[in-house]
């Protein structure tokens, strides 16, 4: 798991061959003008999901992880926290869905709170359980982009 500001994205582009495309999309697209939905960047290798929602109490959210994709979760506008835990510390609540590339988990014993606001991102790898969309200090409307990068 990595947390940083978009201005430092160049530090991470060599981690995966598609990472650079994902960060270019964030830097070169006027995301404020995009409607919610899926935007292909490189077929199913890299795509963006623009989302708008109201944060919820962490008790209403579930930990998740993905096997086929790395997530970059970027806050365009607003504040939320994402709870993080290594999947080894979590127990499966809903088995892996190949179609949706997601496993859901019950809360575990060990987790960390990641506070995010405008222009911050988190990178989550397959071993990173994450519970996004949690209320930071009060329920808030969020605009966010989740970039999916296929693991090669």
């Amino acid at each position: 798991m990595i947390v940083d500001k978009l201005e430092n994205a160049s530090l991470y582009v060599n981690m995966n061959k598609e990472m650079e495309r994902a960060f270019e999309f964030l830097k070169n697209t006027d995301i404020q003008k995009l409607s919610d939905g899926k935007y292909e960047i490189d077929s199913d290798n890299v795509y963006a999901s623009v989302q708008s929602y109201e944060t919820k109490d962490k008790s209403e959210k579930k930990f998740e992880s993905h096997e086929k994709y790395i997530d970059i979760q970027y806050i365009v506008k607003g504040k939320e926290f994402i709870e993080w835990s290594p999947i080894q510390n979590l127990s499966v609540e809903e088995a892996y869905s190949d179609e949706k590339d997601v496993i859901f988990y019950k809360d575990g014993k060990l987790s960390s709170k990641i506070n995010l606001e405008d222009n911050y991102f988190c990178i989550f790898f397959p071993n990173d359980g994450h519970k996004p969309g949690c209320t930071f200090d009060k329920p808030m409307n969020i605009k966010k982009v989740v970039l999916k990068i296929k693991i090669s």
Side-chain angles (χ1 to χ4, degrees):
M1 184 269 307
I2 295 170
V3 180
D4 209 338
K5 289 191 83 160
L6 187 58
E7 65 195 48
N8 298 321
S10 62
L11 298 172
Y12 310 103
V13 296
N14 293 325
M15 295 175 59
N16 174 293
K17 66 180 183 175
E18 304 292 355
M19 200 73 72
E20 187 170 12
R21 285 188 180 143
F23 282 119
E24 282 176 6
F25 176 85
L26 290 176
K27 288 181 175 182
N28 300 325
T29 305
D30 188 353
I31 297 167
Q32 291 285 5
K33 293 183 179 178
L34 293 181
S35 301
D36 287 5
K38 183 178 176 180
Y39 296 85
E40 286 190 9
I41 298 167
D42 179 16
S43 183
D44 71 337
N45 293 317
V46 183
Y47 66 89
S49 175
V50 177
Q51 306 170 3
S52 299
Y53 57 86
E54 186 172 296
T55 58
K56 296 185 178 188
D57 187 83
K58 74 176 195 164
S59 65
E60 298 179 53
K61 309 297 282 182
K62 291 183 182 181
F63 276 101
E64 61 185 58
S65 71
H66 315 285
E67 293 182 4
K68 296 179 190 174
Y69 288 89
I70 296 167
D71 271 10
I72 299 176
Q73 298 202 13
Y74 172 73
I75 303 296
V76 179
K77 185 168 176 54
K79 290 182 184 177
E80 74 172 32
F81 84 81
I82 299 177
E83 197 166 358
W84 170 85
S85 180
I87 60 173
Q88 305 90 297
N89 295 335
L90 302 172
S91 55
V92 174
E93 185 171 295
E94 292 179 39
Y96 178 71
S97 166
D98 188 55
E99 180 183 329
K100 295 180 180 179
D101 185 41
V102 69
I103 304 170
F104 289 105
Y105 302 89
K106 298 175 188 171
D107 285 0
K109 298 177 206 164
L110 175 68
S111 66
S112 295
K113 181 179 175 182
I114 304 163
N115 296 323
L116 298 172
E117 60 185 7
D118 300 6
N119 298 313
Y120 276 86
F121 66 86
C122 272
I123 302 175
F124 296 106
F125 299 93
N127 62 337
D128 293 318
H130 51 286
K131 186 192 289 193
C134 299
T135 298
F136 182 82
D137 53 2
K138 62 182 179 182
M140 179 178 291
N141 290 320
I142 297 292
K143 184 152 189 168
K144 178 186 210 176
V145 179
V146 177
L147 290 127
K148 298 294 223 172
I149 301 169
K150 193 171 212 174
I151 298 169
S152 38

